[in-house]
Amino acid sequence: MVQLLTLLAGVPLGAGAHWALARRSRRERHRGTDVELATFRTLHTASLAAPPLRAGLTEDTARKAVRRLRPLLGTPAMCLTDEHTALAWDGAGEHHRPEAMSKAAQVLASGRPQLVEVDCPDPSCPVRWAAVAALEVDGRVLGTLAAYGPEDSPVLVRATGEVARWVAVQLELAELDRSRRDLIEAEIRTLRAQISPHFIFNSLAAIASFVRTDPDRARELLLEFAEFTRYSFRQHGDFTSLADELRSIDQYLNLVRARFGDRLEVALRVAPEVLPVALPFLCLQPLVENAVKHGIEGRPERGRITIAADDAGAEARVVIEDDGVGMDPDRLRAILRGEGGPSHGIGLGNVDERLRHVYGDGYGLVIETGVDAGMKITVRIPKYQPGVRISPPPGPRA
């Protein structure tokens, strides 16, 4: 009997042990091989260091980045410099930071990596050698990356050079982002300049026509004009709310209707839940102006512009449609490529470029048109996008 109980007791114990071993084996397989885990850790560490560097090379970004970069090389210390200053030090031996620029001097001058000996009277300090590599962008050395260790190691020099090249790529992307932002800001200034001579002259002429016949109407139009120009020429950042953009468009169309009278019909349909959505400043107004200027002005009969803003789940969808003269699709593609010439303005191409810059290539303008077929422009705006925040509104109405 004792023997039988012992045998029976051994069955579940053996099955349980087998199940536990199988479960651990599956868990280890899910974790991946040592090579896969090492690759993941390296890529994850690099991904954490990239965002600060994409903002450029400053003391703040260098401090955040160097903390993430040092584990890539596994050295006791690391230093990031620009052309003039040791921006950040991470790890042991920070008493060597004041001499970092002297160790980096030859690399800044030549652009070639160096292995430099570091004198230290402290026997417990692990900093004895520095592998220094240049951060080179477009042929210009912007700074250096120095990895400090206890011994001279040609392998460390090569590894430091590879990490420095990766850092330089991030800095080059930061330069491209900055150049693109500068270009977009210049295009916004150009849009404002376009609004100024053409629209202001026509609006003031329309207001003047009502001064004697309908002074109250003239006064209201003058207030609309003041509000519209205050919004269009404001200096309060890159983003606004859909509500503010549509309010400015309504003011613009009131002034346009004062000129066209019954020749222009406007229909506006807006879902209230999309009004707080943030979008690039002066993003929709050029599209409406395009509908007026190139769609309605070119025909003698009555024209209609429809503006609809709908809730589309995670996005707001804005559709601007006119029944005007339309455009040849090939000509439209040329304009979006920037080949339309100054007479066609930059409104459509500017808006398309800015939308793609902020939200990605999947959020460019969708335009349906044809000769004598009007034009329909669809804009999709994510309700949430990292970095997109509504800027403060312009001053209150007088």
Side-chain angles (χ1 to χ4, degrees), residues 13-197:
L13 286 173
H18 176 75
W19 175 79
L21 288 171
R23 184 180 180 188
R24 185 172 65 186
S25 177
R26 285 195 301 270
R27 188 166 62 244
E28 288 174 351
R29 283 200 303 271
H30 286 314
R31 288 180 64 239
T33 66
D34 290 342
V35 173
E36 289 171 337
L37 290 173
T39 302
F40 168 77
R41 283 193 292 268
T42 300
L43 293 174
H44 179 64
T45 301
S47 70
L48 293 175
L53 293 170
R54 288 292 296 273
L57 193 58
T58 66
E59 286 189 8
D60 183 56
T61 61
R63 176 178 52 80
K64 293 175 181 176
V66 76
R67 189 170 66 244
R68 304 294 187 181
L69 292 171
R70 188 166 67 87
L72 289 176
L73 297 175
T75 55
M78 180 178 283
C79 181
L80 263 175
T81 81
D82 61 12
E83 297 173 273
H84 311 289
T85 309
L87 297 173
W89 182 287
D90 186 71
E94 192 164 358
H95 53 280
H96 291 289
R97 181 172 177 170
E99 63 194 53
M101 291 309 297
S102 64
K103 304 300 182 187
Q106 289 187 16
V107 177
L108 287 169
S110 67
R112 294 191 295 272
Q114 297 280 336
L115 187 62
V116 184
E117 189 171 7
V118 179
D119 295 325
C120 186
D122 183 358
S124 65
C125 179
V127 172
R128 300 295 169 181
W129 291 86
V132 188
L135 305 176
E136 188 172 339
V137 176
D138 290 335
R140 177 188 166 200
V141 178
L142 300 183
T144 66
L145 174 71
Y148 291 82
E151 57 189 25
D152 58 332
S153 169
V155 174
L156 180 60
V157 175
R158 291 197 295 272
T160 303
E162 291 300 322
V163 175
R165 274 190 282 275
W166 180 85
V167 171
V169 169
Q170 306 309 310
L171 296 177
E172 185 171 9
L173 290 172
E175 291 284 339
L176 289 173
D177 285 344
R178 189 177 300 110
S179 298
R180 201 171 183 184
R181 284 195 303 270
D182 291 343
L183 177 61
I184 288 172
E185 288 174 4
E187 289 178 339
I188 291 176
R189 287 194 294 271
T190 304
L191 278 176
R192 287 169 169 159
Q194 274 191 327
I195 290 170
S196 177

Side-chain angles (χ1 to χ4, degrees), residues 207 214-224 397:
I207 293 169
D214 192 345
D216 291 338
R217 174 77 168 139
R219 180 181 181 279
E220 185 58 33
L221 287 172
L222 195 58
L223 290 175
E224 297 277 15
R397 181 168 177 160

Side-chain angles (χ1 to χ4, degrees), residues 273-274 277 310-317 381-384:
E273 55 268 31
V274 300
V277 173
D310 299 315
D311 189 352
E315 301 172 347
R317 184 177 58 240
I381 305 163
K383 290 181 180 176
Y384 173 76

Side-chain angles (χ1 to χ4, degrees), residues 331-342:
R331 181 181 167 217
L332 173 62
R333 281 189 282 270
I335 290 174
L336 292 176
R337 291 194 302 266
E339 300 169 3

Side-chain angles (χ1 to χ4, degrees), residues 303-320:
R304 178 183 175 88
I305 295 176
T306 302
I307 303 169
D310 299 315
D311 189 352
E315 301 172 347
R317 184 177 58 240
V318 181
V319 177
I320 298 168

